[in-house]
Amino acid sequence: MAPSMVLAGARVVLPTGTVDDGRVVVEGTKIAAGAGPDAETLDVSGHWLVPGFVDIHNHGGGGASFSGTVDDVLTAIRTHRQHGTTTLVASTVTDDMDFLVKQAGLLSELTEQGDLAGIHFEGPFISPCRKGAHSEDLLRDPDPADVRKLIDAARGRATMVTLATELPGGLDSVRLLAEHGVIAAVGHTDATYEQTVEAIDAGATVATHLFNAMPALGHRSPGPVAALLEDERVTVELINDGTHLHPAALELAFRHAGAGRVAFITDAMDAAGIGDGRYMLGPLEVEVSEGVARLVEGGSIAGSTLTLDRAFKRAVTVDRLPVEDVVTALSVNPARLLGRYDTIGSLEPGKDADLVLLDAGFELKGVLRRGEWVVPPQLP
């Protein structure tokens, strides 16, 4: 076994709080309790050490999509790893059912190999009223038989399905997903407050990109936002890119749900990590200008170009959230949602050696995944 490595002198964010002048010991692929006599010490004073980021909602990056070939999928994975995402769920977009079944098989193989943490089906079971950047012609009601067809195609690797639960078959599909250990997420929905409460009682536990692609919070018609924020059983996804959410909306979510119920996501599409230009999101063409992705036809926001290192920096420097709360939203909560907090999500002995090195200004300076440097440390 290779000698252990000690990362010393950083501010280390642990489940119990932040430790100044702390250290993390890596032994092989795991975090260890103590260092061996031949341990190599790396001085990372003046930096932060935080757990690797966990993204449960991501459509692609690096010019490639999770709806593409194996090479495309691997390109997107590599792109996000270089930005600190050490655990990644691949999200599909609405498409023909036969295509989604085929893609589920491809993505499940990569999940079995350890490249992905699972599959998220966003569509086709969503509302045409709140379709966002999904092709309306391919939408369908959430018939439990069709939902079952997708999760069967994923061979036990489906982690989440986004549904407009008010549509015919929606509540039965939520129950089906819960029975199979798959997260039912309320999103791209036109549901009322009462319908959303019913969906949560049926087993829905996640709000897909809260506020986006759902009715706005109203004082006489509170809609899904109020129901999703108030229920302790629900984790709310937030896209913190400065485009999808006004800072006051993000603050409202954090204040009401608390850091323990927020999961920062990217909802990234092909342009993440690349830049402006023309791209495809499923069958739809997207124009990315100044980092904002919109459909060529209609102008709807079409995912994001966000990476989680940028979401981290914005949360701390613009939104003024405590670093510990940001770590909870980027690593702890999504790891728990995936049922993997025993192996990822925090810097504790016995867990995978997944960590991100940030400088004092919260710029990414290194990424370690399972004990290997994805981004070698960039130190002064």
Side-chain angles (χ1 to χ4, degrees):
M1 180 181 290
S4 55
M5 173 175 61
V6 181
L7 303 171
R11 301 188 73 183
V12 181
V13 181
L14 301 173
T16 52
T18 298
V19 176
D20 293 328
D21 195 20
R23 63 185 224 151
V24 174
V25 179
V26 175
E27 190 85 49
T29 63
K30 300 291 184 179
I31 296 171
D38 299 325
E40 171 193 356
T41 298
L42 184 64
D43 185 358
V44 289
S45 300
H47 290 71
W48 291 83
L49 279 176
V50 300
F53 308 142
V54 181
D55 195 354
I56 59 171
H57 187 157
N58 185 314
H59 297 281
S65 165
F66 291 125
S67 295
T69 65
V70 170
D71 285 344
D72 291 333
V73 173
L74 293 175
T75 294
I77 292 169
R78 283 193 297 269
T79 297
H80 286 282
R81 282 183 185 169
Q82 290 164 3
H83 291 274
T85 299
T86 52
T87 302
L88 180 64
V89 171
S91 301
T92 62
V93 295
T94 296
D95 213 310
D96 177 85
M97 280 292 290
D98 288 341
F99 174 83
L100 291 174
V101 166
K102 178 182 176 182
Q103 198 65 15
L106 182 153
L107 294 172
S108 67
E109 289 182 12
L110 292 171
T111 303
E112 289 159 7
Q113 294 171 18
D115 296 301
L116 293 168
I119 308 165
H120 164 219
F121 296 101
E122 188 181 23
F125 313 116
I126 61 177
S127 172
C129 302
R130 304 287 175 177
K131 65 183 184 296
H134 291 255
S135 177
E136 186 168 351
D137 294 342
L138 296 170
L139 300 182
R140 59 176 61 206
D141 291 338
D143 184 324
D146 287 337
V147 174
R148 178 64 185 265
K149 188 175 182 180
L150 287 186
I151 61 175
D152 285 349
R155 304 199 302 260
R157 305 300 177 175
T159 58
M160 183 162 65
V161 178
T162 293
L163 306 162
T165 55
E166 75 278 9
L167 295 177
L171 294 179
D172 285 339
S173 290
V174 168
R175 296 185 187 101
L176 172 72
L177 292 168
E179 288 169 4
H180 285 80
V182 179
I183 297 166
V186 177
H188 288 275
T189 176
D190 205 39
T192 63
Y193 171 87
E194 291 77 14
Q195 288 171 325
T196 308
V197 168
E198 197 173 6
I200 297 167
D201 287 340
T205 56
V206 166
T208 293
H209 43 53
L210 186 74
F211 299 110
N212 295 114
M214 61 183 62
L217 181 66
H219 64 290
R220 280 192 289 269
S221 179
V225 172
L228 294 163
L229 275 178
E230 73 183 7
D231 199 300
E232 294 294 324
R233 294 170 291 182
V234 176
T235 298
V236 297
E237 295 181 347
L238 298 176
I239 309 170
N240 193 23
D241 62 353
T243 298
H244 281 79
L245 293 176
H246 189 283
L250 182 133
E251 182 182 5
L252 172 68
F254 259 92
R255 187 184 299 273
H256 201 80
R261 288 179 46 222
V262 171
F264 278 142
I265 60 164
T266 59
D267 194 18
M269 44 78 71
D270 299 24
I274 294 291
D276 293 353
R278 288 276 180 117
Y279 300 87
M280 298 300 294
L281 184 61
L284 302 177
E285 191 172 15
V286 175
E287 176 78 31
V288 178
S289 178
E290 296 182 355
V292 178
R294 294 185 180 275
L295 290 182
V296 172
E297 289 190 18
S300 292
I301 294 177
S304 84
T305 62
L306 188 63
T307 52
L308 285 183
D309 58 332
R310 285 172 44 214
F312 192 114
K313 181 176 180 179
R314 179 179 177 85
V316 176
T317 62
V318 176
D319 303 309
R320 303 295 180 184
L321 293 171
V323 172
E324 294 82 3
D325 286 355
V326 178
V327 168
T328 298
L330 278 170
S331 303
V332 176
N333 294 338
R336 284 182 171 147
L337 274 174
L338 296 176
R340 296 185 57 182
Y341 190 63
D342 58 333
T343 57
I344 61 172
S346 65
L347 301 179
E348 297 177 89
K351 292 194 175 186
D352 289 350
D354 295 349
L355 58 83
V356 177
L357 180 69
L358 304 166
D359 67 14
F362 300 99
E363 291 287 342
L364 184 143
K365 294 297 178 182
V367 179
L368 192 74
R369 182 178 185 271
R370 296 181 185 173
E372 294 187 5
W373 290 106
V374 176
V375 178
Q378 304 161 36
L379 301 172

